[in-house]
């Protein structure tokens, strides 16, 4: 991009990196692997939209391929918003986990997010666990 165009862009839109998803606070997910039970918990910590979805997919795929778990649990406790790209992200990870012979479930799904999953038919493939005993940890307060 020529210098004059860059200056105009900065005036109109701020610094070029401001809207770049790679500079928006890092990965939108925390992971926990319970080795004894071969359970991988993917705790999504922010809203799931088109921009954050790519990073979440890459990180989830990496963790799944490293650990090859028997069960992957998506924890939506901190997710207040999800668009259609989130549905694709969840279904894509479901397919990957199924290829390894694993199972998938979701916990802490808020009513608005649950409605999106219901309308899309995702709940026919991936259940929402009400109360789950995961590797000696008791996880409660689910929808």
């Amino acid at each position: 991009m020529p210098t004059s165009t860059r200056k105009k862009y900065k005036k109109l839109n701020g610094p070029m990196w401001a809207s770049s998803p790679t500079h928006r606070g890092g990965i939108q997910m925390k992971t926990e692997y319970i080795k004894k039970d071969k359970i991988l918990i993917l705790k999504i910590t922010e809203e799931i939209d088109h921009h954050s979805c790519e990073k979440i997919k890459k990180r989830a795929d990496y963790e799944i391929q490293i650990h090859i778990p028997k069960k992957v649990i998506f924890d939506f406790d901190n997710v207040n918003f999800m668009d259609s790209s989130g549905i694709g992200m969840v279904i894509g990870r479901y397919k990957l986990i199924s290829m390894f012979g694993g199972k998938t479930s979701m916990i802490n799904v808020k009513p608005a997010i649950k409605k999106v999953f219901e309308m899309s038919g995702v709940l026919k493939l991936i259940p929402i666990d009400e109360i789950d005993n995961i590797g000696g940890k008791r996880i409660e307060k689910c929808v």
Side-chain angles (χ1 to χ4, degrees):
M1 184 180 299
T3 307
S4 62
T5 308
R6 255 187 248 144
K7 286 179 183 177
K8 288 177 187 173
Y9 183 88
K10 283 184 180 181
K11 282 183 181 177
L12 295 173
N13 301 314
M16 287 170 40
W17 50 266
S19 63
S20 171
T22 57
H23 295 289
R24 283 185 12 166
I27 304 240
Q28 321 300 345
M29 182 173 55
K30 295 177 183 175
T31 61
E32 180 181 349
Y33 183 66
I34 302 169
K35 193 172 186 176
K36 179 181 119 186
D37 298 321
K38 295 193 85 177
I39 295 172
L40 177 63
I41 302 171
L42 303 174
K43 298 178 183 182
I44 303 168
T45 58
E46 291 186 25
E47 65 183 29
I48 304 172
D49 59 14
H50 176 72
H51 296 291
S52 64
C53 204
E54 283 302 314
K55 289 191 289 185
I56 294 171
K57 283 181 194 177
K58 287 178 185 177
R59 175 74 186 273
D61 288 352
Y62 173 78
E63 295 290 336
I64 291 166
Q65 291 172 8
I66 291 242
H67 298 294
I68 307 177
K70 289 183 180 177
K71 185 170 185 177
V72 174
I73 299 169
F74 290 96
D75 186 348
F76 287 91
D77 192 34
N78 294 321
V79 178
N80 294 315
F81 172 80
M82 183 180 78
D83 65 12
S84 60
S85 60
I87 295 167
M89 183 273 298
V90 171
I91 290 175
R93 294 338 93 207
Y94 165 79
K95 288 180 179 180
L96 178 63
I97 296 156
S98 296
M99 283 182 3
F100 291 120
K103 298 195 182 245
T104 310
S105 69
M106 299 181 283
I107 60 173
N108 298 322
V109 181
K110 294 190 170 119
I113 308 297
K114 183 178 179 181
K115 191 170 186 175
V116 171
F117 284 134
E118 285 173 345
M119 291 178 5
S120 66
V122 169
L123 295 182
K124 294 176 184 171
L125 298 172
I126 305 169
I128 294 176
D129 290 343
E130 296 285 332
I131 297 174
D132 202 357
N133 192 0
I134 302 169
K137 293 184 179 184
R138 191 168 178 85
I139 296 182
E140 297 183 38
K141 192 193 160 253
C142 298
V143 175

